[in-house]
Amino acid sequence: MIKILKNLEEVDLEAARILAKQLILKPNSAVALPTGLTPLKMYEAFANFARSKIVELKDVHFFNLDEYIGLTKSDSSSYAYYMRANLFSKIAKVDHRIPKTNTLDPEKEALDYEKAIRSAGGFDLCFLGIGVDGHIGFNEPGTSFSSVTHVANLHSSTIERNTKQIGKSIPRKAITVGIKTIMNSRRIVLMAVGIEKAKVISQALLDDITPELPASVLQLHPNLTILLDEESAQKINSSANEFHLINP
Ligand code: PGA
C-alpha cells in the first residue's frame, strides 16, 4: 500500500501512529528503527504518544538498523547518539539494541546482532528510509538479497551525503541488518520525503527487482506500507494510481 501525504510532518506522524498501533496490539514487538533526516519527526511524535501513556514500552524490543564502525556511542556522529538525542532521552527506559561497533571484531558483533534479532522472534515491524542510491539500512547497491547482519562498505554517494548532513567526516564502514533479515519482517514501512528521492522511489517500486537497487526487493514483501510526501511521489503518481496502490 502506498500512502501519499502532504509533507514530511504528515509522513512522520503516520509512521508514529503505525508504531503506536503495533505496540498497542503487541506490546512485546521487535521493531527495527532507522536514522537519518526522514524519521526525526516520527520520533518526536512517538515520544509524545509514549509520554501520554497511550503506549506501554516495558516489553518492546527496539533494534537499530545500522551503526558506523569505530565510533563510541558518545560520538555525535554515531547513531547511538542520534537515537539518544531524538528518542531515548525523551521516553522511559526501554530495551534497545544498536550494533556495538567500537570493537576489534565487528564481524562477531554482526553475528551476535543477528542472533539477538532471531531470539526476539525477528522483526514484527521494520521502518526503513531509502538512500538516493537505493540503499535500505546500509545495504548498498550490489548487496546480496540473502544477506543477514554484516559489515558493509559504504557507497561514495552515501559517504558524501551523510558527511554533508553531519558536517564532519564519517567512517567508511558500518554494521547493517541484512536484506534477508529485513525481508523476514512481518511488516515493513518504507518512508521517503523530498524531491531528491523521487527518482529512486520510482525505480524501486516500478523497475526491475535487482540487487543493484536494494530497495527494489521490497516489491516482493507481502506486507509493505510506503509513506511518501508529494515530492518523493512525483514520478510514480500516475503509474501507482493505475495499479490502485495509492491511498486505498
Ligand atoms: P535520510 O536517509 O532520511 O537522511 O534521507 C535515508 C537513508 O539513507 O536511509
Side-chain angles (χ1 to χ4, degrees):
M1 184 226 299
I2 302 177
K3 258 193 173 180
I4 299 178
L5 298 149
K6 212 161 136 221
N7 52 29
L8 177 134
E9 281 73 19
E10 284 193 9
V11 165
D12 280 23
L13 181 59
E14 182 61 15
R17 285 187 182 137
I18 291 172
L19 176 53
K21 286 181 203 171
Q22 173 72 32
L23 298 185
I24 287 167
L25 212 59
K26 187 180 178 203
N28 64 346
S29 294
V31 181
L33 300 176
T35 47
L37 296 180
T38 310
L40 282 173
K41 291 206 176 293
M42 161 186 166
Y43 293 134
E44 198 178 302
F46 182 74
N48 286 335
F49 289 146
R51 274 199 301 265
S52 63
K53 304 264 189 271
I54 299 171
V55 284
E56 271 287 343
L57 297 179
K58 67 179 176 25
D59 297 322
V60 67
H61 306 288
F62 284 128
F63 289 86
N64 264 82
L65 284 169
D66 44 25
E67 177 64 288
Y68 295 116
I69 284 186
L71 301 183
T72 61
K73 56 186 185 184
S74 54
D75 190 309
S76 61
S77 305
S78 73
Y79 287 151
Y81 184 96
Y82 168 107
M83 290 309 299
R84 222 173 27 257
N86 295 302
L87 182 62
F88 295 122
S89 62
K90 300 179 182 170
I91 61 176
K93 200 167 167 8
V94 289
D95 180 45
H96 169 235
R97 264 192 90 132
I98 184 159
K100 291 188 202 88
T101 56
N102 191 22
T103 162
L104 290 175
D105 196 350
E107 310 281 347
K108 178 171 183 305
E109 171 61 12
L111 277 176
D112 289 349
Y113 202 73
E114 184 68 25
K115 273 191 213 146
I117 296 167
R118 284 197 196 153
S119 308
F123 298 139
D124 292 290
L125 175 59
C126 174
F127 289 93
L128 297 173
I130 183 170
V132 287
D133 64 354
H135 71 220
I136 45 176
F138 271 140
N139 295 287
E140 296 283 20
T143 307
S144 163
F145 285 163
S146 65
S147 57
V148 294
T149 306
H150 63 282
V151 173
N153 291 311
L154 305 185
H155 205 267
S156 53
S157 66
T158 303
I159 294 172
E160 199 181 306
R161 189 167 179 276
N162 292 10
T163 302
K164 223 185 267 168
Q165 243 177 46
I166 295 176
K168 56 181 178 169
S169 67
I170 51 155
R172 266 58 189 150
K173 284 176 186 271
I175 290 180
T176 183
V177 166
I179 294 183
K180 187 169 166 204
T181 321
I182 289 171
M183 287 298 281
N184 282 341
S185 307
R186 283 175 275 290
R187 181 178 184 189
I188 294 178
V189 176
L190 175 71
M191 307 158 70
V193 295
I195 196 69
E196 67 166 354
K197 299 287 173 71
K199 183 165 170 227
V200 74
I201 281 294
S202 132
Q203 289 169 327
L205 303 185
L206 303 173
D207 289 357
D208 290 347
I209 298 171
T210 163
E212 291 316 311
L213 201 98
S216 64
V217 73
L218 299 173
Q219 292 179 32
L220 297 177
H221 196 276
N223 191 4
L224 172 68
T225 300
I226 302 162
L227 305 178
L228 305 175
D229 71 338
E230 286 169 0
E231 288 187 358
S232 63
Q234 219 170 71
K235 286 187 189 293
I236 58 149
N237 247 321
S238 50
S239 337
N241 261 326
E242 250 170 59
F243 294 117
H244 307 289
L245 286 171
I246 291 184
N247 302 340

